[in-house]
Amino acid sequence: GAVVSQHPSRVICKSGTSVKIECRSLDFQATTMFWYRQFPKQSLMLMATSNEGSKATYEQGVEKDKFLINHASLTLSTLTVTSAHPEDSSFYICSASPGTGYEQYFGPGTRLTVT
Amino acid sequence: QKEVEQDPGPLSVPEGAIVSLNCTYSNSAFQYFMWYRQYSRKGPELLMYTYSSGNKEDGRFTAQVDKSSKYISLFIRDSQPSDSATYLCAMIDDYKLSFGAGTTVTVRA
């Protein structure tokens, strides 16, 4: 149980375009979903927290207009990287929690490359 | 100073050895302590979590928490090549997870 999927697993896009990443909890309802990014050989950095039906809470330094998060249902959250630039290239990982966040189950990640 | 400090290694051990990993932290508000395993280009997988000080054992894995010293450890007994991965400690304050940098472990056959 507690499976979280992400789609796509890998995406390459041109600078200036937007990219949407989906995160789904497959066998449980996720009250809370989290988005992280991870640079090579570095740890995961929390970008934002989203609760179903409400606006996401962004961490300090994360541009909410650039990283749009929608938690449309209890099993789906999306992250849209708008007007992507090469510095946005990273590994984006979502996690989902059936509660308030003590148990988080991670997706397999999405590798974004912006050329 | 980072909230969670973890030596990134790398750590290389022969098969069958005990792997010892640890993290220190500065935030006394951390309540839950976790260890995640992350294979290359994959998301983290929860190995163990604990709430209180003391030991918790699960198969070949033992997690220790010492809240008075703000120090947590993970031990892997009888290590196998399949244990080769990056191990991340993580801690929760309220709902927010703070991760250590991760220690890369290689178990040599």
Side-chain angles (χ1 to χ4, degrees), chain B residues 7-93:
Chain B
D7 186 342
L11 185 63
S12 179
V13 300
E15 183 175 359
I18 295 175
V19 176
S20 175
L21 305 166
N22 56 75
C23 292
T24 59
Y25 62 95
S26 57
N27 186 352
S28 299
F30 285 135
Q31 299 171 331
Y32 282 82
F33 304 87
M34 289 83 161
W35 286 95
Y36 286 85
R37 177 174 61 196
Q38 186 177 24
Y39 292 110
S40 182
R41 301 175 187 271
K42 300 292 184 184
E45 170 194 8
L46 179 64
L47 282 176
M48 298 184 72
Y49 72 92
T50 185
Y51 176 72
S52 58
S53 286
N55 293 357
K56 183 176 182 179
E57 195 171 311
D58 183 1
R60 296 184 296 112
F61 299 89
T62 300
Q64 287 185 349
V65 174
D66 183 345
K67 287 188 174 181
S68 62
S69 302
K70 297 189 178 66
Y71 187 90
I72 70 170
S73 301
L74 177 72
F75 300 96
I76 307 174
R77 290 184 300 280
D78 188 25
S79 57
Q80 306 294 311
S82 58
D83 294 326
S84 298
T86 296
Y87 291 82
L88 302 111
C89 63
M91 306 169 190
I92 281 194
D93 172 13

Side-chain angles (χ1 to χ4, degrees), chain A residues 34 36 38 43-44 46 49 59 91 93 100-102 104 106-108 111, chain B residues 31-32 34 36 38 41-44 88 92 94-97 99-101:
Chain A
F34 304 82
Y36 297 82
Q38 185 177 32
S43 191
L44 285 78
L46 180 65
T49 303
E59 294 299 303
F91 193 51
I93 306 176
T100 57
Y102 288 105
Q104 291 188 30
F106 285 81
R111 172 120 3 238
Chain B
Q31 299 171 331
Y32 282 82
M34 289 83 161
Y36 286 85
Q38 186 177 24
R41 301 175 187 271
K42 300 292 184 184
L88 302 111
I92 281 194
D94 194 7
Y95 64 85
K96 181 179 170 182
L97 264 177
F99 283 89

Side-chain angles (χ1 to χ4, degrees), chain A residues 26-40:
Chain A
L26 299 184
D27 52 3
F28 67 98
Q29 293 188 323
T31 305
T32 311
M33 285 186 166
F34 304 82
W35 287 94
Y36 297 82
R37 65 188 296 181
Q38 185 177 32
F39 291 105

Side-chain angles (χ1 to χ4, degrees), chain B residues 94-107:
Chain B
D94 194 7
Y95 64 85
K96 181 179 170 182
L97 264 177
S98 295
F99 283 89
T103 301
T104 300
V105 174
T106 301
V107 181

